[in-house]
Short mmCIF file of all heavy atoms in Angstrom, two decimals:
data_model
loop_
_atom_site.label_atom_id
_atom_site.label_comp_id
_atom_site.label_asym_id
_atom_site.label_seq_id
_atom_site.Cartn_x
_atom_site.Cartn_y
_atom_site.Cartn_z
N GLY A 151 129.93 83.03 86.67
CA GLY A 151 129.58 83.57 87.94
C GLY A 151 130.76 83.64 88.86
O GLY A 151 130.52 83.67 90.15
N THR A 152 131.98 83.65 88.39
CA THR A 152 133.06 83.77 89.23
C THR A 152 133.79 85.14 89.26
O THR A 152 134.95 85.25 89.51
CB THR A 152 134.15 82.70 88.88
OG1 THR A 152 134.46 82.90 87.52
CG2 THR A 152 133.62 81.28 89.08
N GLY A 153 132.98 86.12 88.78
CA GLY A 153 133.50 87.53 88.71
C GLY A 153 133.70 88.07 90.16
O GLY A 153 133.51 87.44 91.12
N ILE A 154 134.09 89.31 90.13
CA ILE A 154 134.35 90.04 91.43
C ILE A 154 133.07 90.21 92.19
O ILE A 154 132.12 90.76 91.61
CB ILE A 154 135.08 91.39 91.22
CG1 ILE A 154 136.39 91.15 90.49
CG2 ILE A 154 135.26 92.15 92.48
CD1 ILE A 154 137.09 92.41 90.12
N ARG A 155 133.04 89.88 93.44
CA ARG A 155 131.79 90.15 94.24
C ARG A 155 132.10 91.28 95.22
O ARG A 155 133.10 91.36 95.84
CB ARG A 155 131.47 88.83 95.08
CG ARG A 155 130.96 87.68 94.23
CD ARG A 155 130.63 86.55 95.08
NE ARG A 155 130.10 85.44 94.32
CZ ARG A 155 128.79 85.32 93.99
NH1 ARG A 155 128.00 86.25 94.50
NH2 ARG A 155 128.41 84.31 93.36
N LEU A 156 131.13 92.15 95.30
CA LEU A 156 131.24 93.32 96.21
C LEU A 156 130.75 92.96 97.60
O LEU A 156 129.76 92.15 97.71
CB LEU A 156 130.43 94.49 95.68
CG LEU A 156 130.93 95.09 94.33
CD1 LEU A 156 129.99 96.19 93.84
CD2 LEU A 156 132.34 95.66 94.42
N PRO A 157 131.36 93.42 98.59
CA PRO A 157 130.89 93.10 99.96
C PRO A 157 129.59 93.69 100.29
O PRO A 157 129.13 94.64 99.72
CB PRO A 157 132.01 93.69 100.81
CG PRO A 157 132.58 94.86 100.04
CD PRO A 157 132.46 94.33 98.56
N GLY A 158 128.85 93.02 101.17
CA GLY A 158 127.53 93.55 101.60
C GLY A 158 126.43 92.79 100.96
O GLY A 158 126.56 92.06 99.98
N ASN A 159 125.20 93.06 101.45
CA ASN A 159 123.96 92.42 100.97
C ASN A 159 123.22 93.39 100.11
O ASN A 159 122.92 94.52 100.63
CB ASN A 159 123.10 92.00 102.21
CG ASN A 159 121.93 91.20 101.75
OD1 ASN A 159 121.01 91.70 101.13
ND2 ASN A 159 121.90 89.85 102.01
N ALA A 160 122.92 93.03 98.91
CA ALA A 160 122.22 93.93 98.00
C ALA A 160 120.79 94.35 98.50
O ALA A 160 120.42 95.51 98.42
CB ALA A 160 122.02 93.32 96.68
N GLU A 161 120.04 93.39 99.22
CA GLU A 161 118.78 93.75 99.75
C GLU A 161 118.85 94.74 100.83
O GLU A 161 118.11 95.69 100.95
CB GLU A 161 118.08 92.46 100.22
CG GLU A 161 117.69 91.56 99.09
CD GLU A 161 116.90 90.36 99.63
OE1 GLU A 161 116.71 90.30 100.83
OE2 GLU A 161 116.55 89.47 98.80
N ASP A 162 119.86 94.53 101.74
CA ASP A 162 120.10 95.51 102.78
C ASP A 162 120.44 96.90 102.29
O ASP A 162 119.97 97.92 102.85
CB ASP A 162 121.26 95.08 103.77
CG ASP A 162 120.85 93.80 104.54
OD1 ASP A 162 119.57 93.60 104.66
OD2 ASP A 162 121.71 93.13 105.06
N ALA A 163 121.20 96.94 101.22
CA ALA A 163 121.62 98.17 100.58
C ALA A 163 120.31 98.96 100.01
O ALA A 163 120.18 100.13 100.23
CB ALA A 163 122.61 98.00 99.52
N LEU A 164 119.54 98.13 99.40
CA LEU A 164 118.30 98.75 98.79
C LEU A 164 117.38 99.30 99.96
O LEU A 164 116.68 100.37 99.86
CB LEU A 164 117.55 97.75 97.98
CG LEU A 164 118.12 97.47 96.62
CD1 LEU A 164 117.44 96.37 95.89
CD2 LEU A 164 118.20 98.73 95.71
N ARG A 165 117.21 98.46 101.02
CA ARG A 165 116.40 98.96 102.14
C ARG A 165 116.92 100.19 102.78
O ARG A 165 116.20 101.11 103.15
CB ARG A 165 116.30 97.81 103.22
CG ARG A 165 115.28 96.80 102.78
CD ARG A 165 114.92 95.92 104.08
NE ARG A 165 116.07 95.01 104.37
CZ ARG A 165 116.26 93.77 103.88
NH1 ARG A 165 115.28 93.24 103.06
NH2 ARG A 165 117.26 92.99 104.25
N SER A 166 118.29 100.28 102.92
CA SER A 166 118.89 101.45 103.48
C SER A 166 118.63 102.69 102.57
O SER A 166 118.32 103.76 103.05
CB SER A 166 120.35 101.22 103.67
OG SER A 166 120.97 102.41 104.14
N LEU A 167 118.78 102.50 101.26
CA LEU A 167 118.60 103.52 100.30
C LEU A 167 117.13 104.05 100.38
O LEU A 167 116.89 105.26 100.38
CB LEU A 167 118.94 103.02 98.92
CG LEU A 167 118.68 104.12 97.80
CD1 LEU A 167 119.49 105.38 98.00
CD2 LEU A 167 118.99 103.47 96.42
N ASN A 168 116.21 103.10 100.39
CA ASN A 168 114.77 103.42 100.49
C ASN A 168 114.51 104.12 101.81
O ASN A 168 113.72 105.16 101.78
CB ASN A 168 113.98 102.14 100.45
CG ASN A 168 112.45 102.43 100.40
OD1 ASN A 168 111.93 103.12 99.48
ND2 ASN A 168 111.71 101.84 101.41
#
Side-chain angles (χ1 to χ4, degrees):
T152 58
I154 298 174
R155 291 181 178 273
L156 296 175
N159 184 292
E161 291 183 2
D162 289 342
L164 285 174
R165 278 194 289 267
S166 177
L167 177 61
N168 184 60

